[in-house]
Amino acid sequence: MSTCKFCGSSQLVPFSAEERMFGLGTEFTYSECQECYSLQLEDIPQDLAKYYSGEYYSFTGLTYSASLKNIIKQLRMKVFLTSGWKVFQPSYGAWLLKLNLSYSDRIADVGCGNGQLLYELSVSGFKDLHGFDPFMEQTKQINSALKLWKKSIEEAEMKFDVIMMHQISFEHMEDPALKS
Ligand SMILES: [Zn+2]
């Protein structure tokens, strides 16, 4: 790579780093752009799957909640969305209020990991939820409201009202600007 993928600058400073999460010992060369300070991987491996295996932190099991607890979660969401009262705000975010969602909105989560956030939304009353991650084990229907797809968002043949990305998924995308 001779120019920055993002801003086109030629001021790239390369350095190498070893894969440590799984201890595979692979060395990767990264470049830091001196203009926009973005970090980019020089040669993206053909097969990324082994770096996102079952032990990857985001693929640990989904925690299901009992039906009584789900009734409480539904009530809490309803009160929160209508009143905006902070005491009812779910731990995962005030952003829900700002989006002014309706329960039937189709929501996608890019890089959904085990799907826990979407699961919480599903038991709180949202009805059309889709998680995307090309590295999950398999496509799974979690409940009537939630499906986790083993594919990337670019491969989805659906339109969404909301597309969310949490815990920074940009650095995991081969083409973050979605130019292709
Ligand atoms: Zn740059």
Side-chain angles (χ1 to χ4, degrees):
M1 197 185 305
S2 51
T3 56
C4 172
K5 257 187 181 183
F6 307 107
C7 74
S9 162
S10 54
Q11 295 198 48
L12 296 179
V13 176
F15 67 93
S16 33
E18 193 180 305
E19 189 286 314
R20 292 277 172 85
M21 192 163 170
F22 298 115
L24 298 172
T26 326
E27 280 242 319
F28 291 100
T29 306
Y30 292 85
S31 285
E32 190 190 52
C33 174
Q34 300 306 294
E35 301 248 341
C36 73
Y37 300 106
S38 67
L39 209 57
Q40 40 222 299
L41 186 57
E42 290 282 341
D43 298 301
I44 298 171
Q46 206 69 36
D47 179 23
L48 281 168
K50 66 176 169 182
Y51 304 104
Y52 292 95
S53 77
E55 284 130 75
Y56 195 73
Y57 65 88
S58 62
F59 295 129
T60 49
L62 182 59
T63 307
Y64 294 86
S65 45
S67 46
L68 182 63
K69 208 169 178 187
N70 292 344
I71 293 170
I72 296 167
K73 285 181 180 177
Q74 267 175 48
L75 279 171
R76 187 179 66 180
M77 182 63 77
K78 211 170 219 167
V79 177
F80 175 63
L81 291 180
T82 48
S83 70
W85 290 342
K86 271 228 145 78
V87 268
F88 293 100
Q89 181 179 304
S91 57
Y92 48 84
W95 50 269
L96 273 169
L97 209 55
K98 295 184 186 156
L99 290 176
N100 202 12
L101 299 170
S102 68
Y103 287 123
S104 60
D105 281 344
R106 182 175 284 165
I107 303 172
D109 187 3
V110 177
C112 64
N114 64 11
Q116 191 71 47
L117 173 61
L118 288 171
Y119 176 77
E120 296 304 323
L121 292 174
S122 77
V123 297
S124 302
F126 289 91
K127 292 185 169 56
D128 199 357
L129 305 160
H130 302 265
F132 293 91
D133 201 313
F135 301 111
M136 72 172 72
E137 218 173 286
Q138 57 190 30
T139 294
K140 275 182 277 194
Q141 187 81 46
I142 302 295
N143 56 34
S144 62
L146 170 59
K147 189 163 183 174
L148 301 181
W149 301 85
K150 182 183 168 56
K151 53 165 93 169
S152 63
I153 186 91
E154 298 96 315
E155 296 168 300
E157 283 158 4
M158 282 180 263
K159 286 191 171 182
F160 301 96
D161 299 297
V162 176
I163 296 178
M164 37 183 207
M165 266 187 203
H166 296 276
Q167 311 288 347
I168 321 169
S169 359
F170 276 122
E171 84 274 24
H172 299 282
M173 300 173 86
E174 253 185 81
D175 182 11
L178 293 182
K179 279 179 268 180
S180 57

